[in-house]
Amino acid sequence: MQTFIRRAYQGLVMLPLLTGLLSPLSVFSQGTAEDYKRSETLKNKLKDKVYNAPAQVFWAKSGKIVWYAIQTPRGKEFISVNPQTKTRQSAFDHEQLAQQLATLSKTDTKPFSLPFNSIAYVKDDQEIEFSAEGFVWTYGLTTKSLRKKEPIRNDPQRYWAAAPNDQPEKPVYSPDSLWTSYIKNHNLYVRSEKTKTESQLTFDGSEGEYYSGYVQWSPDSKKLVANKIRPNQKHLIYFVRSSPEDQLQPKLESREYLKPGDALPIRRPHLFLVEEKKHIPIDDALFNHQYNISRIDWRKDSRAFSFEYNQRGHQVYRVLEVNAANGAIRALIDEQSPTFIDYSGKKYRYDVADGKEIIWASERDGWNHLYLYDGVTGKVKKQITKGEWVMRNVLNVNEEKRTITFAASGMNPKQDPYFTHYYRINFDGTGLTPLTSENANHTGVFSSDNQLFVDTYSRVDMSPVTVLRSAADGSVVMELEKADISEWLNAGWKAPEVFTAKGRDGKTDIWGIIIRPTNFDPNKKYPIIENIYAGPHSSFTPKTFMTYNRSMFELAELGFIVVQLDGMGTSNRSKAFHDVCWKNLKDAGFPDRILWMQEAARKYPSMDVSRVGVYGTSAGGQSSTGGLLFYPDFYKVAVSSCGCHDNRMDKIWWNEQWMGYPIGPQYEECSNVVNASKLQGKLMLILGEVDDNVDPASTMQLVNALIKANKDFDFLMVPNMGHSTGGEYGERKRRDFFVRHLYKVEPPVWKE
């Protein structure tokens, strides 16, 4: 733990005559070395001190065992549950396994701090496998014997933005193994495995427009479909890694990274009748302005294949079907929106009975719901779910019983509308059955046969409870865990307060949380610091107990009231609520956030709305800086990490989804770089030198614009660091920055 030496507060202690004027702000008692020490002490007291609360729950492949890891006073323990016998026990003998692992690996292994977090049941659930100390190990649950199986394979991971290889050399065999397809000289060939005769199916492939080797054979092995691809020019971003671990000199690195407006590869499906050697091009009128084509699937009877078309700009999304006899194409589903279709967060499709019906998710009535389509006519047969609430995701479709198990939020009017609950409903919209009801956020993990699920539920002010439930009616089959937070309570921890206030429309509730320090005094005034993330792809205010999300508590301990909330423009509410973000990311819900904090301050005078800070990372880095640029009368201090400060500089999929295509004036209007001259207040920028999630040039261009505008700001570049809040060093600098500028005192000197 770091220790701190307090600096004298220059000038402040020499002004006793002003005490009466300054005491309401409590400037003499905040941001001290004692506060920093208390924050660090709280961090240590809270870490790993919530007992009997599974972070994740897993079903064995057999579906007969549930397992999870929990923290107990002894340390990390693995637990297994047998639903049939309703027994809960240690997943294995921790002492025995630790002793054998220590001997075989020649390491100091403790039974309740084992060097792995995951296990897999194998051999009819009689053994477990895990990875540790560079090897995969197998442990017999009855024999209690441990053996080394094989070295851990560290296969290189494909960089998330790298384009896939559309020209694999590996051949693709037909389902009946009588044919092989492959690419040669950019064209598609097939070979008969009976006669070894090679046939060239295409003759128009070239380096500039080639056929993909990823072909889909029809189930009857008589037809296949392959994409003809016109590749795009790759967009590379560059980094100088100034401080590599393996050499003295810097390294120049690059990554593939498409940005808004860049050209995209064009994929056009082509149909081939193998025995006739017939090539059938498909009319592309329904998919000729593509962002992407995906999910090419053959019908089981080989009558047709379908694929999904996402139009550039994300205002049209189609499910298309191609007749395998003649190549005729039609739209089964044609989803359109005047703003955007949330394809990356809310899309769902399930083909029933080989495409005779389709279950489809849509926000067409203003809320995300399920619809049942006739797969033959392409007409909607029934809206399955309906109401002013959000279908979040589908867990199971039972075609035989014609039921759907799904998660939803907002159905319970007396609960937080973001709380997830589980339900079952019939295809025709009847028989809606709640499977959970407790006033909390629920996380369910369902068995493979959808008969049971493990439900962990909690709130920010209620510790987790874990139970085993029936997926038929939600009844509790077995109580598994009830979290123990006595160590947190003994440390003086205070639960966040859930607070709601009306948004900019005067009607919609905005939900957030308020976190106070352990030594909170309602008679004092506290600056407010907002933790902001306004990415439209989800909602972000914690809804479950904050076991692993403790940094806001530590920040509050320095003498702040820390808040987090979801304003308009974020997801998981109505379509209208979400649409606020469209072509308008600089909004970031600020009008709602400001009203929310002002309302909270009216109720709690200890909240000082004249001293408001804001911080965030990535999209939150963009928004926190935007607070000072666009709302300087309210936000006074900001710390922004790895921000996407100009949406033209950031990744294509995320930004075109919300900011639209083609690239129009909205991109400049929302740019922190373009608006840098508007800066008021105190700003600190933090950047990872080799951030390959958000191009570091985005922050550097903001730095450049601020310098040109002769603006005063702080900047921290962390060498060798990727996309991050800044690490431990950045966290310390962020806290110091808020203390310095919201309390007007110099933070204590760091000393190791």
Side-chain angles (χ1 to χ4, degrees), residues 163-456:
N165 175 22
D166 284 312
Q167 303 180 79
E169 297 179 359
K170 190 175 180 179
V172 181
Y173 293 93
S174 62
D176 62 9
S177 300
L178 297 179
W179 297 92
T180 305
S181 68
Y182 50 92
I183 300 297
K184 189 163 66 173
N185 297 323
H186 310 294
N187 280 295
L188 180 64
Y189 288 71
V190 293
R191 182 178 63 243
S192 167
E193 293 303 314
K194 277 186 177 180
T195 65
K196 301 301 179 182
T197 303
E198 179 183 82
S199 301
Q200 185 173 352
L201 298 184
T202 70
F203 298 87
D204 56 345
S206 67
E207 186 175 1
E209 197 162 9
Y210 53 81
Y211 286 88
S212 171
Y214 290 108
V215 305
Q216 277 78 34
W217 283 91
S218 61
D220 64 7
S221 299
K222 295 180 179 179
K223 299 168 279 286
L224 60 82
V225 58
N227 277 327
K228 188 179 183 184
I229 300 173
R230 189 181 71 201
N232 61 319
Q233 183 175 348
K234 293 182 179 180
H235 187 147
L236 299 180
I237 57 174
Y238 296 91
F239 317 90
V240 174
R241 188 181 294 272
S242 67
S243 310
E245 299 289 338
D246 58 346
Q247 67 183 47
L248 174 64
Q249 297 300 323
K251 289 183 178 179
L252 176 64
E253 300 180 9
S254 64
R255 307 279 194 279
E256 289 185 42
Y257 193 100
L258 290 176
K259 296 184 177 184
D262 281 349
L264 291 170
I266 302 301
R267 295 177 169 87
R268 292 184 175 87
H270 287 242
L271 175 65
F272 301 89
L273 308 183
V274 178
E275 291 180 351
E276 298 96 315
K277 309 298 185 293
K278 190 174 182 180
H279 176 187
I280 305 177
I282 298 164
D283 183 0
D284 69 355
L286 290 174
F287 58 93
N288 64 2
H289 186 46
Q290 61 187 253
Y291 175 81
N292 192 27
I293 281 177
S294 62
R295 194 175 166 180
I296 296 178
D297 294 319
W298 278 96
R299 299 303 184 192
K300 293 176 183 177
D301 63 5
S302 301
R303 70 183 186 278
F305 69 88
S306 63
F307 63 94
E308 296 183 4
Y309 163 67
N310 186 359
Q311 184 168 292
R312 190 88 184 253
H314 311 299
Q315 295 178 289
V316 175
Y317 200 102
R318 295 187 178 115
V319 178
L320 302 171
E321 186 180 74
V322 178
N323 185 306
N326 57 22
I329 186 170
R330 64 187 181 122
L332 298 178
I333 296 174
D334 191 349
E335 192 75 35
Q336 300 196 23
S337 170
T339 55
F340 60 85
I341 295 166
D342 188 1
Y343 78 95
S344 61
K346 297 191 178 78
K347 184 179 72 68
Y348 179 78
R349 170 188 155 205
Y350 182 94
D351 292 356
V352 179
D354 198 25
K356 292 181 181 177
E357 294 175 306
I358 302 172
I359 298 170
W360 179 253
S362 170
E363 293 186 279
R364 63 188 61 175
D365 77 344
W367 300 83
N368 195 43
H369 282 301
L370 295 174
Y371 293 78
L372 183 66
Y373 271 78
D374 186 315
V376 177
T377 66
K379 303 294 184 182
V380 175
K381 296 176 67 174
K382 185 74 177 179
Q383 182 172 351
I384 302 172
T385 63
K386 191 171 185 177
E388 294 187 355
W389 49 271
V390 180
M391 193 290 297
R392 298 286 287 268
N393 62 292
V394 175
L395 283 304
N396 177 267
V397 174
N398 188 318
E399 295 189 36
E400 182 180 351
K401 296 182 178 180
R402 295 182 69 79
T403 61
I404 303 167
T405 304
F406 66 97
S409 57
M411 204 182 298
N412 301 307
K414 294 183 179 180
Q415 296 185 18
D416 185 324
Y418 293 93
F419 282 172
T420 299
H421 284 277
Y422 295 90
Y423 302 88
R424 194 185 66 255
I425 196 169
N426 297 323
F427 281 16
D428 63 2
T430 64
L432 179 65
T433 304
L435 303 180
T436 58
S437 60
E438 294 86 352
N439 183 14
N441 194 52
H442 294 252
T443 301
V445 183
F446 286 72
S447 60
S448 56
D449 61 5
N450 203 51
Q451 297 299 305
L452 298 166
F453 70 104
V454 177
D455 175 28
T456 298

Side-chain angles (χ1 to χ4, degrees), residues 31-69:
T32 67
E34 286 78 6
D35 293 320
Y36 276 83
K37 184 176 181 180
R38 191 175 61 256
S39 175
E40 188 70 15
T41 300
L42 182 68
K43 174 182 177 179
N44 293 330
K45 285 184 176 180
L46 299 187
K47 185 179 180 181
D48 297 332
K49 297 294 171 53
V50 173
Y51 302 138
N52 308 324
Q56 288 183 287
V57 175
F58 304 89
W59 286 85
K61 285 186 178 181
S62 66
K64 298 177 181 178
I65 291 177
V66 173
W67 74 267
Y68 50 85

Side-chain angles (χ1 to χ4, degrees), residues 39 42-43 550-558 731 735:
S39 175
L42 182 68
K43 174 182 177 179
R550 304 180 300 269
S551 62
M552 288 190 285
F553 298 124
E554 299 158 25
L555 178 58
E557 212 60 20
L558 298 183
E731 180 68 29
R735 294 176 184 181

Side-chain angles (χ1 to χ4, degrees), residues 566-736:
D566 289 301
M568 292 185 183
T570 51
S571 189
N572 298 323
R573 299 286 289 275
S574 69
K575 176 64 171 164
F577 190 102
H578 202 183
D579 277 349
V580 169
C581 75
W582 190 57
K583 295 186 177 182
N584 189 29
L585 286 182
K586 71 178 174 64
D587 179 278
F590 279 125
D592 313 300
R593 297 171 188 278
I594 292 169
L595 289 170
W596 186 94
M597 281 182 263
Q598 289 172 336
E599 182 63 25
R602 278 190 282 271
K603 182 175 182 180
Y604 302 113
S606 57
M607 298 177 69
D608 187 354
V609 289
S610 71
R611 293 181 294 164
V612 180
V614 59
Y615 73 98
T617 300
S618 196
Q622 176 182 6
S623 297
S624 50
T625 295
L628 298 188
L629 299 180
F630 304 114
Y631 299 90
D633 291 340
F634 189 79
Y635 292 98
K636 307 302 183 185
V637 183
V639 180
S640 303
S641 302
C642 295
C644 39
H645 296 287
D646 188 308
N647 298 105
R648 295 168 295 185
M649 290 291 293
D650 193 32
K651 59 194 76 66
I652 186 173
W653 77 266
W654 196 87
N655 293 275
E656 286 193 7
Q657 167 83 93
W658 320 116
M659 291 294 289
Y661 176 87
I663 311 307
Q666 70 271 20
Y667 280 83
E668 283 201 7
E669 292 166 3
C670 290
S671 169
N672 291 343
V673 178
V674 172
N675 291 283
S677 62
K678 297 178 180 179
L679 178 66
Q680 298 181 47
K682 299 297 182 180
L683 172 65
M684 169 178 270
L685 300 173
I686 299 175
L687 177 63
E689 178 183 54
V690 287
D691 183 352
D692 59 10
N693 184 308
V694 174
D695 186 347
S698 184
T699 295
M700 296 306 298
Q701 289 181 2
L702 176 59
V703 168
N704 182 49
L706 290 169
I707 291 171
K708 287 182 176 180
N710 200 29
K711 295 295 182 178
D712 186 41
F713 66 99
D714 285 37
F715 175 50
L716 171 64
M717 168 81 83
V718 184
N720 225 33
M721 182 168 281
H723 195 62
S724 168
T725 61
E728 183 178 350
Y729 187 87
E731 180 68 29
R732 291 161 67 180
K733 296 292 286 186
R734 174 168 39 255
R735 294 176 184 181
D736 283 358

